[in-house]
Amino acid sequence: MAEPRAATIDGKLAEEFAVPSHVDEVKEQMAAFAGRHGAKGRRVVLITSGGTKVPLESRTVRFLDNFSSGRRGASSAEYFLDSGYAVIFLHRHRSLYPYTRLYSNINLLDTLQLKSGEGASSNSGQVVVNQQALPNIAKVLKRYQEVKDAGLLLPIEFNTLSEYLHLLKAAAQALSTIGSKAMFYLAAAVSDFYIPASEMPEHKIQSSNGPLQISMKMVPKMLSPLVKDWAPQAFVISFKLETDPSILLDKARRALDTYRHQAVVANILDTRRGYVVVVTPETQAELILTDEDVKNEVEIEEKIISNLKAAHGQFITQQLD
Ligand code: PAZ
């Protein structure tokens, strides 16, 4: 069946997904960011990252969530920054974040010590950092501060599926001004199903009513209007996650046929940290972490970004011809 175009999706977004009150303000920030970097000849990538939360009640006690940690998006942001891109990081609240992701499993209080000597026994003693508890912290902090001082990273948060959908549309429109210099790297794990506000119970669902049966609608596919209407000149990468390897590549190719964007990064849940396939209409590149890579702490995202940066370069050149 044909995909609904922008007009239909715009209507659906407005009717069935609450518009976040700050969407216009964020859109202006993103447009200014893209304009500033685009004017300097810099490429800009919008990364989406993390899972989405789908409420079951409007005064939400319960919601459906998914596995995504946001690690792919956060580490990719670092490699894009290292490759000269400016990054808009549209991420789920409290999912992993560039640079701090490296310390996400560390208890902050285990990295700090009260300085011995005067005041150490009182509540006002000096606190010092135990650098050994934070591997490579000086190098990571230096890079984080360089990125921050140069204004190269614009973080934008979302919480719910509704916020994600509206902010992605705003981002697509904001980045359309820089044409082919814009890349969309859609790594977030977005729910395919939702309950429309009009069908959602207001109050907490009562277990005294017995077993729960819910019926959910399909979330509109944003790729279609993004590619055709909102940012038609941009370089667009979607991600495809499956658990069954036998259907992965077929589904990636079908997505390319349907949406006519530039590439799909295909991955399997259990092996996603060490193996992906970058599928384009003409090519298929397997990216694998070798034992040597693992020993040298190379991450799969470094290989993904190197592959996509080169493809984006060719795309920009073709658009100029
Ligand atoms: O967030 P994470 O690092 O735990 O996982 C990354 C991922 C599997 C969510 C991403 O690579 C991906 O495939 N995203 C798209 C998922 C999908 O909707 O098919």
Side-chain angles (χ1 to χ4, degrees), residues 24 46 83 95 113-114 192 202 234 258 268 272-273 275 279 286 293:
D24 289 338
L46 176 102
S83 304
S95 59
Q113 279 169 350
L114 271 181
D192 286 324
E202 179 183 354
T258 306
I268 291 290
R272 69 190 191 278
R273 304 281 175 233
Y275 176 76
V279 186
E286 285 191 308
D293 288 330

mmCIF file of all heavy atoms in Angstrom, residues 24 46 83 95 113-114 192 202 234 258 268 272-273 275 279 286 293:
data_model
loop_
_atom_site.group_PDB
_atom_site.id
_atom_site.type_symbol
_atom_site.label_atom_id
_atom_site.label_comp_id
_atom_site.label_asym_id
_atom_site.label_seq_id
_atom_site.Cartn_x
_atom_site.Cartn_y
_atom_site.Cartn_z
ATOM 1 N N ASP A 24 8.561 25.017 18.762
ATOM 2 C CA ASP A 24 8.974 26.126 17.877
ATOM 3 C C ASP A 24 10.313 26.714 18.315
ATOM 4 O O ASP A 24 11.173 27.035 17.490
ATOM 5 C CB ASP A 24 7.902 27.225 17.869
ATOM 6 C CG ASP A 24 6.664 26.767 17.114
ATOM 7 O OD1 ASP A 24 6.781 25.842 16.283
ATOM 8 O OD2 ASP A 24 5.567 27.304 17.386
ATOM 9 N N LEU A 46 22.084 15.164 12.102
ATOM 10 C CA LEU A 46 21.093 15.001 13.166
ATOM 11 C C LEU A 46 21.100 13.527 13.547
ATOM 12 O O LEU A 46 20.816 12.667 12.700
ATOM 13 C CB LEU A 46 19.691 15.391 12.698
ATOM 14 C CG LEU A 46 18.703 15.085 13.830
ATOM 15 C CD1 LEU A 46 18.303 16.332 14.571
ATOM 16 C CD2 LEU A 46 17.500 14.321 13.367
ATOM 17 N N SER A 83 35.109 13.637 13.056
ATOM 18 C CA SER A 83 35.213 13.671 11.588
ATOM 19 C C SER A 83 34.850 15.033 11.015
ATOM 20 O O SER A 83 34.663 15.164 9.806
ATOM 21 C CB SER A 83 34.264 12.630 10.973
ATOM 22 O OG SER A 83 34.532 11.370 11.487
ATOM 23 N N SER A 95 19.075 8.723 28.410
ATOM 24 C CA SER A 95 19.792 7.669 27.677
ATOM 25 C C SER A 95 21.260 8.096 27.622
ATOM 26 O O SER A 95 21.614 9.187 28.068
ATOM 27 C CB SER A 95 19.202 7.486 26.274
ATOM 28 O OG SER A 95 19.293 8.688 25.546
ATOM 29 N N GLN A 113 37.154 11.669 46.649
ATOM 30 C CA GLN A 113 37.680 11.412 47.991
ATOM 31 C C GLN A 113 37.693 12.720 48.759
ATOM 32 O O GLN A 113 37.897 13.781 48.169
ATOM 33 C CB GLN A 113 39.119 10.899 47.893
ATOM 34 C CG GLN A 113 39.171 9.421 47.563
ATOM 35 C CD GLN A 113 40.574 8.972 47.199
ATOM 36 O OE1 GLN A 113 41.470 9.795 47.007
ATOM 37 N NE2 GLN A 113 40.758 7.671 47.089
ATOM 38 N N LEU A 114 37.531 12.605 50.073
ATOM 39 C CA LEU A 114 37.705 13.794 50.915
ATOM 40 C C LEU A 114 39.185 13.925 51.196
ATOM 41 O O LEU A 114 39.844 12.959 51.577
ATOM 42 C CB LEU A 114 36.947 13.609 52.220
ATOM 43 C CG LEU A 114 35.494 14.065 52.244
ATOM 44 C CD1 LEU A 114 34.897 13.824 53.611
ATOM 45 C CD2 LEU A 114 35.338 15.528 51.845
ATOM 46 N N ASP A 192 6.755 1.189 17.024
ATOM 47 C CA ASP A 192 5.906 1.096 15.828
ATOM 48 C C ASP A 192 4.429 1.229 16.192
ATOM 49 O O ASP A 192 3.582 1.349 15.311
ATOM 50 C CB ASP A 192 6.106 -0.265 15.142
ATOM 51 C CG ASP A 192 7.440 -0.328 14.422
ATOM 52 O OD1 ASP A 192 7.864 0.704 13.874
ATOM 53 O OD2 ASP A 192 8.070 -1.405 14.428
ATOM 54 N N GLU A 202 -8.010 7.878 30.972
ATOM 55 C CA GLU A 202 -7.354 8.991 31.682
ATOM 56 C C GLU A 202 -6.604 8.465 32.908
ATOM 57 O O GLU A 202 -5.451 8.794 33.142
ATOM 58 C CB GLU A 202 -8.403 10.024 32.123
ATOM 59 C CG GLU A 202 -7.772 11.185 32.872
ATOM 60 C CD GLU A 202 -8.786 12.184 33.396
ATOM 61 O OE1 GLU A 202 -9.979 12.058 33.089
ATOM 62 O OE2 GLU A 202 -8.355 13.101 34.126
ATOM 63 N N ALA A 234 18.653 16.190 1.660
ATOM 64 C CA ALA A 234 19.581 15.676 2.690
ATOM 65 C C ALA A 234 19.991 14.234 2.423
ATOM 66 O O ALA A 234 19.360 13.505 1.651
ATOM 67 C CB ALA A 234 18.902 15.781 4.047
ATOM 68 N N THR A 258 11.167 1.433 -0.540
ATOM 69 C CA THR A 258 9.965 2.176 -0.161
ATOM 70 C C THR A 258 10.246 3.663 0.012
ATOM 71 O O THR A 258 9.499 4.508 -0.482
ATOM 72 C CB THR A 258 9.403 1.618 1.174
ATOM 73 O OG1 THR A 258 9.211 0.222 1.032
ATOM 74 C CG2 THR A 258 8.079 2.279 1.541
ATOM 75 N N ILE A 268 21.595 -6.825 14.114
ATOM 76 C CA ILE A 268 20.873 -7.846 14.867
ATOM 77 C C ILE A 268 21.074 -7.545 16.352
ATOM 78 O O ILE A 268 22.179 -7.177 16.768
ATOM 79 C CB ILE A 268 21.448 -9.246 14.512
ATOM 80 C CG1 ILE A 268 21.095 -9.605 13.056
ATOM 81 C CG2 ILE A 268 20.975 -10.338 15.462
ATOM 82 C CD1 ILE A 268 19.623 -9.894 12.798
ATOM 83 N N ARG A 272 24.883 -6.476 17.733
ATOM 84 C CA ARG A 272 24.928 -5.110 17.196
ATOM 85 C C ARG A 272 26.179 -4.335 17.576
ATOM 86 O O ARG A 272 26.532 -3.367 16.924
ATOM 87 C CB ARG A 272 23.682 -4.328 17.606
ATOM 88 C CG ARG A 272 23.564 -3.976 19.090
ATOM 89 C CD ARG A 272 22.161 -3.423 19.336
ATOM 90 N NE ARG A 272 21.959 -2.814 20.643
ATOM 91 C CZ ARG A 272 21.698 -3.486 21.756
ATOM 92 N NH1 ARG A 272 21.677 -4.811 21.732
ATOM 93 N NH2 ARG A 272 21.487 -2.845 22.902
ATOM 94 N N ARG A 273 26.872 -4.762 18.632
ATOM 95 C CA ARG A 273 28.085 -4.035 19.028
ATOM 96 C C ARG A 273 29.296 -4.399 18.170
ATOM 97 O O ARG A 273 30.295 -3.689 18.197
ATOM 98 C CB ARG A 273 28.438 -4.338 20.497
ATOM 99 C CG ARG A 273 27.327 -4.033 21.473
ATOM 100 C CD ARG A 273 27.237 -2.551 21.784
ATOM 101 N NE ARG A 273 26.092 -2.279 22.621
ATOM 102 C CZ ARG A 273 25.157 -1.370 22.345
ATOM 103 N NH1 ARG A 273 25.242 -0.632 21.278
ATOM 104 N NH2 ARG A 273 24.159 -1.183 23.162
ATOM 105 N N TYR A 275 28.919 -6.055 14.736
ATOM 106 C CA TYR A 275 28.649 -6.385 13.325
ATOM 107 C C TYR A 275 27.438 -5.604 12.821
ATOM 108 O O TYR A 275 26.369 -5.644 13.453
ATOM 109 C CB TYR A 275 28.369 -7.891 13.218
ATOM 110 C CG TYR A 275 27.980 -8.340 11.828
ATOM 111 C CD1 TYR A 275 28.934 -8.463 10.823
ATOM 112 C CD2 TYR A 275 26.649 -8.630 11.524
ATOM 113 C CE1 TYR A 275 28.568 -8.868 9.544
ATOM 114 C CE2 TYR A 275 26.278 -9.044 10.247
ATOM 115 C CZ TYR A 275 27.249 -9.155 9.266
ATOM 116 O OH TYR A 275 26.885 -9.554 8.003
ATOM 117 N N VAL A 279 23.736 -0.946 3.989
ATOM 118 C CA VAL A 279 23.115 -1.307 2.708
ATOM 119 C C VAL A 279 22.711 -0.030 1.975
ATOM 120 O O VAL A 279 22.046 0.836 2.553
ATOM 121 C CB VAL A 279 21.848 -2.170 2.950
ATOM 122 C CG1 VAL A 279 21.279 -2.666 1.626
ATOM 123 C CG2 VAL A 279 22.145 -3.343 3.877
ATOM 124 N N GLU A 286 29.785 -5.021 4.797
ATOM 125 C CA GLU A 286 29.751 -5.635 6.131
ATOM 126 C C GLU A 286 30.835 -4.986 6.976
ATOM 127 O O GLU A 286 32.006 -4.975 6.579
ATOM 128 C CB GLU A 286 30.052 -7.126 6.019
ATOM 129 C CG GLU A 286 28.909 -7.941 5.476
ATOM 130 C CD GLU A 286 29.184 -9.422 5.649
ATOM 131 O OE1 GLU A 286 30.271 -9.859 5.223
ATOM 132 O OE2 GLU A 286 28.338 -10.114 6.226
ATOM 133 N N ASP A 293 40.689 -5.360 16.812
ATOM 134 C CA ASP A 293 39.921 -4.125 17.085
ATOM 135 C C ASP A 293 39.494 -4.095 18.546
ATOM 136 O O ASP A 293 39.621 -3.072 19.227
ATOM 137 C CB ASP A 293 38.645 -4.058 16.224
ATOM 138 C CG ASP A 293 38.942 -3.784 14.757
ATOM 139 O OD1 ASP A 293 39.945 -3.124 14.471
ATOM 140 O OD2 ASP A 293 38.146 -4.245 13.908
#
